[in-house]
């Protein structure tokens, strides 16, 4: 299905090109200052893609919030590595202070045991990991 574009105002010229990452939304540029509104071709739920979790990660549950760089996962207090990233359920990076306690997470450690990446798991990812018995809680 092609993108739905709703154009308002006078536009004398358009440049349309697909975004390289998803291809579901087009970029619209008005040459003479016209107004354009972009609408996605699919509902937001249909656009959510299955993200690839690191294969060398571990599953756990976040604990109480501690000062940066400490993060409680399970019964252990770990250190967030310099440059470590935390991803929310929409795959956006969030700050350490916005990591909700009690979240089901998938995390990856670097070679010295510090947390390199944390992914807050969506319900579909939790179900996928629950069905695969080789993953365990930390």
């Amino acid at each position: 299905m092609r993108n739905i574009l709703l154009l308002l105002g006078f536009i004398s010229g358009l440049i349309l090109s697909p975004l390289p990452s998803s291809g579901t939304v087009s970029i619209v540029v008005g040459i003479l200052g016209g107004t354009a509104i972009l609408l996605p071709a699919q509902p937001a739920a249909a656009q959510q893609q299955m993200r690839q979790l690191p294969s060398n990660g571990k599953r756990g549950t976040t604990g109480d919030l501690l000062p940066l760089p400490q993060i409680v996962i399970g019964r252990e207090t770990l250190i967030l590595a310099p440059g470590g990233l935390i991803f929310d359920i929409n795959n956006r990076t969030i700050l350490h202070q916005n990591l909700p306690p009690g979240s089901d997470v998938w995390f990856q450690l670097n070679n010295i045991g510090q947390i390199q990446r944390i992914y807050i798991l969506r319900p579909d990812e939790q179900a996928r990991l629950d069905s695969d018995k080789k993953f365990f809680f930390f």
Side-chain angles (χ1 to χ4, degrees):
M1 179 183 278
R2 298 302 297 170
N3 297 332
I4 300 170
L5 296 175
L6 176 62
L7 301 175
L8 301 175
F10 175 76
I11 300 176
S12 65
L14 296 176
I15 300 172
L16 299 175
S17 64
L19 289 175
S21 61
S22 66
T24 59
V25 177
S26 293
I27 298 172
V28 178
V29 178
I31 304 283
L32 292 177
T35 304
I37 297 175
L38 297 174
L39 298 175
Q42 301 169 349
Q47 290 182 6
Q48 189 175 40
Q49 297 178 1
M50 184 184 307
R51 59 182 171 181
Q52 295 295 321
L53 300 174
S55 61
N56 61 343
K58 298 178 182 177
R59 190 172 178 184
T61 304
T62 58
D64 294 332
L65 191 61
L66 295 177
L68 187 66
Q70 300 175 10
I71 295 178
V72 176
I73 297 182
R75 295 182 181 153
E76 286 197 46
T77 301
L78 302 169
I79 301 296
L80 184 64
L85 296 171
I86 303 171
F87 297 93
D88 69 3
I89 60 172
N90 296 311
N91 216 31
R92 299 174 298 196
T93 55
I94 61 171
L95 299 175
H96 168 270
Q97 71 230 21
N98 295 334
L99 182 62
S103 295
D104 193 8
V105 296
W106 185 258
F107 64 100
Q108 180 184 28
L109 301 176
N110 63 13
N111 57 353
I112 58 173
Q114 296 176 336
I115 300 173
Q116 191 64 41
R117 303 231 189 291
I118 298 177
Y119 298 86
I120 300 175
L121 296 174
R122 297 188 308 245
D124 64 310
E125 293 169 331
Q126 293 172 6
R128 187 179 61 186
L129 292 172
D130 288 340
S131 68
D132 191 352
K133 300 299 182 200
K134 72 177 184 177
F135 300 110
F136 59 91
F137 279 93
F138 188 74

